[in-house]
């Protein structure tokens, strides 16, 4: 599983990507993944502190917290978009 | 459901370079004499930002390559299903931009003006809330500030969830 | 009631010559870095017309010199009172035109996109029912037919009689 | 008083303008003027046959049938507009 970070999520975590070997243990949904990531160090816990400010995409489509993850998914975490 | 005799011209560019709106308008209408209406929107970098009208000296647009193209292509398809368009083109830039620089362009063409106006407005409202771009503004001290999303943008997009008067499809 | 720091640029041309939309867009935004949104509409001569989709080989636009300028200037003033615009430009051609030729152009610029979209749409809807122009279409036999007004145009304009969400004035 | 004709009103009447010496006798309103013009010959009566297809401007502003006319007015008669 590939996890991408953008905007201040990226700069707070301090990198643009994590490459995992499948899903972490016990992680089934987007919400599970965010909980797991919060325990991966200071940058992660700070970036994911305010959960309502985080948006998630699975395989480049927006996903809700209860969406189910698969081993080979490309997951992305980022703030609400501000393009246009 | 397109009312055009020929398939609509759909086109998308996500690029660092600037673009020429006049040339884009010509390209989308050339030889399409069924087109009676062209609507075009261009978004520009403003020199002030936010509720406190802070001065902006530059802006960097970050995006999610791949997802941007996927979301914007799907959006163009949706607009072409909902309105009888002859053409639809989106250009969105990324990278470092200065006040006055062009950020985004949407052009829609149709036989009649309602379809052109509505679809162009729809595309901009959706794009604002669905295209994975993030603005980092620099103030005069070179300090970077990530721009917050605006609630108005969500409301503007939600408006289109209701069927439009010219929407022929039933949900 | 304008929200712009400087007075809006208002401009109107009623002319026989063609126009360059790209150049017009540049002229209206040059040096105005408070502008974040540009909306533009162009109306073109279509090669078919009316409910029977008759082929049109040319069109002559007659107008009422003097009244055209008076009505369109008043319209621009109204739009600038109703929305906080930085710029507003209308060009309307008259004379003999061929399919694909440009007839009319409206550009509105503002800080935000709602004002730009709404005012541009408003101007086109009003222009359609208030600017004294008449279209004489020529078919393949060179026969001229005066185009009938469309009831939809009256309905489209009537929509704007209700106060817009962004309208700050009380009636 | 100057009276201008446009589009098929002009082509049916056969000219673009009439110059009158003030208002015709008995004419106070736009409706009076249209009645009077209808009696000025075949082209006029034909052009003004369907009164609901005629629009009127006084001094380059749209006017209703009950609008009052003045001697020096520029009046114009034309079909519903079809610009844009």
């Amino acid at each position: 599983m590939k996890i991408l970070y953008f905007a201040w999520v990226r700069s707070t975590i301090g990198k643009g990507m994590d490459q995992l070997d499948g899903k972490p243990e016990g992680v089934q949904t987007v919400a599970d993944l965010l909980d797991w990531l919060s325990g991966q160090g200071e940058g992660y816990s700070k970036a994911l502190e305010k959960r309502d400010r985080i948006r998630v995409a699975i395989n480049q489509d927006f996903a809700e917290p209860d969406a189910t993850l698969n081993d080979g998914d490309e997951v992305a975490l980022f703030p609400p978009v501000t393009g246009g | 459901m397109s009312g055009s005799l020929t398939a609509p011209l759909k086109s998308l560019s996500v690029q660092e370079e600037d673009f020429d709106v006049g040339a884009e308008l010509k390209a989308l209408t050339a030889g399409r004499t069924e087109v009676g209406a062209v609507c075009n929107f261009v978004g520009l970098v403003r020199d002030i930002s936010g509720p406190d009208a802070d001065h902006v000296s530059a802006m960097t647009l970050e995006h999610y390559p791949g997802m941007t193209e996927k979301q914007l292509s799907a959006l163009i398809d949706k607009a072409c299903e909902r309105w009888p368009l002859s053409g639809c083109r989106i250009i969105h830039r990324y990278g470092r931009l200065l006040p006055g620089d062009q950020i985004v362009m949407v052009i829609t063409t149709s036989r009649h003006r309602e379809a052109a106006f509505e679809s162009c407005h729809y595309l901009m409202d959706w794009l604002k809330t669905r295209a994975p771009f993030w603005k980092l503004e620099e103030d005069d001290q070179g300090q970077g500030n990530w721009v917050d999303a605006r609630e108005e943008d969500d409301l503007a997009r939600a408006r289109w969830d209701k069927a439009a008067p010219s929407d022929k499809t039933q949900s």
Side-chain angles (χ1 to χ4, degrees), chain A, chain B:
Chain A
M1 172 178 284
K2 192 157 92 175
I3 315 180
L4 304 172
Y5 311 109
F6 293 98
W8 56 255
V9 178
R10 174 183 50 69
S11 56
T12 306
I13 290 177
K15 54 181 165 178
M17 187 176 86
D18 277 309
Q19 180 78 51
L20 306 183
D21 201 14
K23 288 184 290 185
E25 205 173 313
V27 166
Q28 299 295 332
T29 65
V30 164
D32 295 342
L33 181 67
L34 297 188
D35 289 342
W36 180 83
L37 279 170
S38 297
Q40 299 306 304
E42 200 186 344
Y44 292 92
S45 65
K46 197 173 169 212
L48 301 178
E49 203 171 27
K50 292 187 181 152
R51 205 60 65 87
D52 62 342
R53 295 184 66 199
I54 302 291
R55 297 292 176 274
V56 177
I58 303 175
N59 299 326
Q60 308 186 349
D61 281 315
F62 284 93
E64 296 298 319
D66 60 356
T68 306
L69 295 169
N70 293 305
D71 279 344
D73 281 345
E74 175 179 306
V75 182
L77 275 57
F78 45 76
V81 303
T82 56
Chain B
M1 196 172 312
S2 170
S4 298
L5 297 174
T6 46
L9 282 173
K10 302 176 187 182
S11 174
L12 168 68
S13 300
V14 181
Q15 63 188 44
E16 202 156 356
E17 313 84 67
D18 197 12
F19 49 84
D20 178 341
V21 180
E24 297 294 339
L25 290 167
K26 283 199 185 93
L28 207 59
T29 51
R32 308 277 296 209
T33 46
E34 86 278 12
V35 172
V38 180
C39 188
N40 164 48
F41 181 89
V42 180
L44 305 170
V45 179
R46 296 171 58 208
D47 60 1
I48 59 163
S49 168
D52 300 327
D54 298 314
H55 190 261
V56 174
S57 56
M59 169 187 285
T60 300
L61 265 161
E62 181 173 334
H63 80 123
Y64 179 176
M67 181 168 173
T68 304
E69 289 80 356
K70 186 177 184 182
Q71 295 299 315
L72 291 179
S73 295
L75 206 49
I76 290 173
D77 287 341
K78 271 195 198 173
C80 289
E81 278 166 29
R82 187 159 173 170
W83 287 277
L85 302 183
S86 294
C88 183
R89 170 120 172 89
I90 295 179
I91 304 179
H92 205 305
R93 294 175 71 188
Y94 58 87
R96 191 163 185 274
L97 303 172
L98 301 175
D101 281 354
Q102 303 184 120
I103 305 170
V104 62
M105 184 203 75
V106 173
I107 306 177
T108 54
T109 67
S110 184
R111 292 167 186 274
H112 296 294
R113 77 183 183 288
E114 279 305 308
F117 266 119
E118 287 186 8
S119 57
C120 189
H121 202 163
Y122 167 94
L123 285 164
M124 274 307 302
D125 283 351
W126 269 88
L127 181 155
K128 279 266 175 187
T129 60
R130 303 303 274 190
F133 285 91
W134 301 275
K135 287 181 180 137
L136 179 70
E137 290 176 347
E138 286 169 43
D139 62 22
D140 292 339
Q141 286 73 47
Q143 180 72 38
N145 305 295
W146 290 102
V147 174
D148 283 328
R150 295 164 70 230
E151 198 193 353
E152 300 96 294
D153 288 333
D154 287 319
L155 297 174
R157 195 208 66 198
R159 213 175 24 175
W160 298 102
D161 294 345
K162 292 172 258 174
S166 55
D167 190 358
K168 306 289 197 307
T169 56
Q170 297 293 321
S171 60

